[in-house]
Amino acid sequence: MPEFMTTDGRRIYYEETGTGTPLLCLAGLTRNSRDFSFFAPYASDLRMITMDYRGRGRSEYDPDYMNYNIFRESHDAIELLDVLGIQRAAILGTSRGGLIAMTLAASHPERLAAVILNDVGPVIEPTGIAKIMAYVGTQPAAKTHDEAAAALKHVMEAQFPGVPLETWRKQAEIQYEMRDDGLKLRYDPALRKALLEQAASGTAPDLWILFEALRDIPTGVIRGANSDILGSNTLTEMHSRLPGLISVEVPDRGHVPFLNEPQSLDLIQKVLKNAA
């Protein structure tokens, strides 16, 4: 199993396929490497690298759950690039992964060749935050992947109209692991404690400062037209602050697009062509 040891002693799982432009794919808050399985068939000309953040997927849980934070996870991403001998990489960041990409633009701009933000920006809509906090750390009620798929389709249909059940079945397998006693989360439930305690510890950082660090890096944004995380007004403001930004809205998608949509693939290709 491909993994590396961080400088603070945590085992981090990663995968690497293909050759070409290095593209580091960073998943959402509770997601893992498999989140990019919808995109992978279109990445044959790329050196595609995915990682499971500490406490997610096949990476080791951290006994100090307060290390489940964007700054530590950003450092882990740089350590992975160092292990692989990659000096500069493009980043495809979904949700949390996009926040990590912005953090890296501020701390290690020389390591970034390009950035694609998948349905995330410097302002996270309160309704989206509330929805996330309603499920983070809660084990699934479904007993099988089929049950979980049906539940996902029911809950997500309004934001993702027309997505077939087989897609939600695949998503259920990405999110939940089958064990002897039923489905379980593929991440440390203590992630919820980390989010709550971090939120209570003080004022959230100004993410616009991190976003503006992308000014000299080719950057694109993919927004689900029905997103409750990245608002259309925020995207407009992002364009005003970063004149070189390119973006696309994906119809019939909420948070987050699967990245196999024609609009998503076209934007990814455009940004990577401009990779410095």
Side-chain angles (χ1 to χ4, degrees), residues 258-273:
F258 295 106
L259 299 177
N260 61 356
E261 305 89 359
Q263 300 88 348
S264 299
L265 294 170
D266 181 62
L267 181 130
I268 292 169
Q269 185 178 54
K270 285 179 179 176
V271 174
L272 294 181
K273 280 184 178 178

Side-chain angles (χ1 to χ4, degrees), residues 2-276:
E3 61 183 27
F4 74 97
M5 189 75 71
T6 64
T7 50
D8 67 339
R10 300 279 77 80
R11 288 183 293 101
I12 302 293
Y13 175 85
Y14 70 93
E15 293 182 0
E16 182 183 16
T17 58
T19 59
T21 301
L23 178 66
L24 177 60
C25 299
L26 300 175
L29 173 69
T30 63
R31 305 289 189 90
N32 55 70
S33 295
R34 301 181 187 187
D35 216 34
F36 294 94
S37 58
F38 296 102
F39 169 69
Y42 305 93
S44 58
D45 60 339
L46 300 170
R47 183 181 178 184
M48 181 174 165
I49 304 142
T50 59
M51 67 178 287
D52 291 348
Y53 307 133
R54 58 180 62 206
R56 279 77 138 199
R58 283 163 279 191
S59 288
E60 183 181 4
Y61 287 11
D62 196 316
D64 181 0
Y65 57 78
M66 289 300 280
N67 282 329
Y68 298 146
N69 68 75
I70 288 171
F71 300 106
R72 178 66 244 188
E73 290 156 13
S74 300
H75 193 71
D76 292 345
I78 289 295
E79 290 191 7
L80 173 57
L81 293 180
D82 289 343
V83 166
L84 296 176
I86 297 173
Q87 290 303 308
R88 304 181 77 243
I91 294 185
L92 174 55
T94 290
S95 196
R96 172 85 155 205
L99 300 181
I100 291 172
M102 290 191 288
T103 302
L104 291 175
S107 64
H108 295 81
E110 75 284 354
R111 305 297 295 270
L112 306 187
V115 168
I116 300 111
L117 305 175
N118 183 20
D119 208 61
V120 70
V123 176
I124 311 299
E125 295 298 319
T127 53
I129 292 176
K131 184 182 289 186
I132 289 170
M133 291 309 300
Y135 72 76
V136 169
T138 302
Q139 297 292 350
K143 302 301 182 185
T144 67
H145 282 123
D146 285 341
E147 287 181 18
L152 283 171
K153 183 172 177 60
H154 174 73
V155 170
M156 305 299 284
E157 182 69 23
Q159 285 190 320
F160 292 79
V163 172
L165 184 61
E166 56 262 32
T167 297
W168 294 119
R169 179 63 165 75
K170 187 174 183 179
Q171 188 65 49
E173 291 181 2
I174 290 169
Q175 293 182 210
Y176 307 123
E177 179 183 7
M178 177 59 78
R179 298 184 187 170
D180 292 341
D181 55 347
L183 294 186
K184 299 297 179 183
L185 300 172
R186 289 191 186 272
Y187 64 89
D188 185 353
L191 180 60
R192 179 180 184 83
K193 294 180 182 179
L195 294 175
L196 291 172
E197 292 182 26
Q198 288 161 14
S201 65
T203 305
D206 183 356
L207 298 179
W208 284 110
I209 294 174
L210 301 181
F211 173 73
E212 289 173 0
L214 292 164
R215 67 179 65 86
D216 297 322
I217 300 168
T219 303
V221 179
I222 298 166
R223 178 180 183 268
N226 301 327
S227 176
D228 56 8
I229 290 290
L230 175 57
S232 56
N233 290 340
T234 299
L235 182 56
T236 298
E237 179 68 13
M238 291 165 74
H239 275 284
S240 71
R241 297 203 190 197
L242 216 68
L245 183 72
I246 63 173
S247 69
V248 67
E249 283 200 338
V250 184
D252 297 332
R253 293 292 183 267
H255 186 76
V256 290
F258 295 106
L259 299 177
N260 61 356
E261 305 89 359
Q263 300 88 348
S264 299
L265 294 170
D266 181 62
L267 181 130
I268 292 169
Q269 185 178 54
K270 285 179 179 176
V271 174
L272 294 181
K273 280 184 178 178
N274 294 326

